[in-house]
Amino acid sequence: DAKTTQPTSMDCAEGRAANLPCNHSTISGNEYVYWYRQIHSQGPQYIIHGLKNNETNEMASLIITEDRKSSTLILPHATLRDTAVYYCIVRVGSDYKLSFGAGTTVTVRA
Amino acid sequence: DAGVTQSPTHLIKTRGQQVTLRCSPKSGHDTVSWYQQALGQGPQFIFQYYEEEERQRGNFPDRFSGHQFPNYSSELNVNALLLGDSALYLCASSFPTGETQYFGPGTRLLVL
């Protein structure tokens, strides 16, 4: 599996967009980018995933660069409930496991 | 639509004992994965069950075993508990293609 690099932590203001970067420079052509988040003491929550096109759902947008070596998760209007650890995961479609790193601790401040 | 459920929510055991954790998958899912999350770390993959068989395993010793039942629910068994087995144990369910896994709330195990 390709490794990912994320900042350890970041703060953002409530109501503003939160842009979470992820570097995956060794990603292969058949590897997907997944984002999960984990609010304190709860199970991880699926956010979004993509292969090479940008994706959007009711929670967030995923922007993948053309060379696929990095991506950004965008939370359009952060709320206090978005405070969590965010994990960027690269996964081969045929692999059954998710390989979590340390993630980014995001703190949304009022 | 019920999500992934796990039981019990908390458990305290002593070293050397055995423990069984249970998981019911999200409605419509037939594949169950188990993860261990130590304090301050990301979840680590233990194994995945599909069609009542273990089809992929992570780097965990044989003390960790599992089972999947015909109704797709699953159990995780850990024998000869060590202090280092203290962790949050997470169950995730998915369709067989496994594109997206949905996690339960976890079982917090403390080994004394």
Side-chain angles (χ1 to χ4, degrees):
Chain A
D1 289 341
K3 288 199 168 186
T4 62
T5 304
Q6 298 178 252
T8 303
S9 63
M10 61 185 292
D11 287 359
C12 68
E14 188 178 23
R16 304 293 295 269
N19 297 298
L20 283 61
C22 179
N23 181 287
H24 32 78
S25 58
T26 60
I27 194 169
S28 301
N30 62 346
E31 290 182 311
Y32 289 77
V33 179
Y34 281 77
W35 283 85
Y36 280 77
R37 73 180 183 184
Q38 188 171 25
I39 297 168
H40 184 62
S41 295
Q42 298 181 21
Q45 178 187 22
Y46 167 77
I47 302 174
I48 199 166
H49 77 282
L51 184 61
K52 53 185 176 181
N53 297 322
N54 297 337
E55 302 287 344
T56 295
N57 63 19
E58 65 279 3
M59 287 184 68
S61 295
L62 173 61
I63 309 299
I64 303 174
T65 58
E66 193 166 340
D67 63 7
R68 302 186 70 239
K69 294 186 177 182
S70 66
S71 60
T72 301
L73 178 74
I74 301 173
L75 308 177
H77 305 287
T79 71
L80 299 179
R81 288 175 295 180
D82 292 322
T83 292
V85 178
Y86 286 76
Y87 296 99
C88 171
I89 300 165
V90 171
R91 175 176 166 266
V92 175
S94 59
D95 192 4
Y96 301 124
K97 70 178 183 295
L98 294 169
S99 298
F100 290 81
T104 297
T105 298
V106 173
T107 303
V108 180
R109 302 193 186 279
Chain B
D1 178 21
V4 179
T5 60
Q6 294 186 242
S7 63
T9 55
H10 295 82
L11 205 50
I12 299 175
K13 293 285 188 179
T14 55
R15 281 178 297 174
Q17 285 190 312
Q18 179 264 344
V19 69
T20 298
L21 311 181
R22 294 175 177 82
C23 171
S24 291
K26 181 179 167 67
S27 178
H29 288 175
D30 57 6
T31 302
V32 173
S33 304
W34 286 92
Y35 293 79
Q36 180 196 65
Q37 186 174 23
L39 202 60
Q41 299 182 20
Q44 300 299 307
F45 176 76
I46 302 175
F47 42 53
Q48 184 180 89
Y49 275 82
Y50 170 63
E51 292 190 332
E52 302 180 45
E53 296 284 336
E54 181 186 296
R55 71 171 178 177
Q56 187 174 2
R57 187 179 184 91
N59 189 24
F60 280 81
D62 292 346
R63 298 186 298 109
F64 290 78
S65 63
H67 188 78
Q68 185 178 35
F69 299 94
N71 68 352
Y72 310 125
S73 67
S74 177
E75 287 182 349
L76 165 65
N77 301 293
V78 187
N79 294 323
L81 284 167
L82 305 174
L83 297 180
D85 295 332
S86 295
L88 179 67
Y89 287 86
L90 296 158
C91 169
S93 74
S94 60
F95 295 113
T97 53
E99 271 202 0
T100 302
Q101 296 182 20
Y102 293 87
F103 285 80
T107 293
R108 189 163 296 282
L109 172 66
L110 177 62
V111 182
L112 301 175

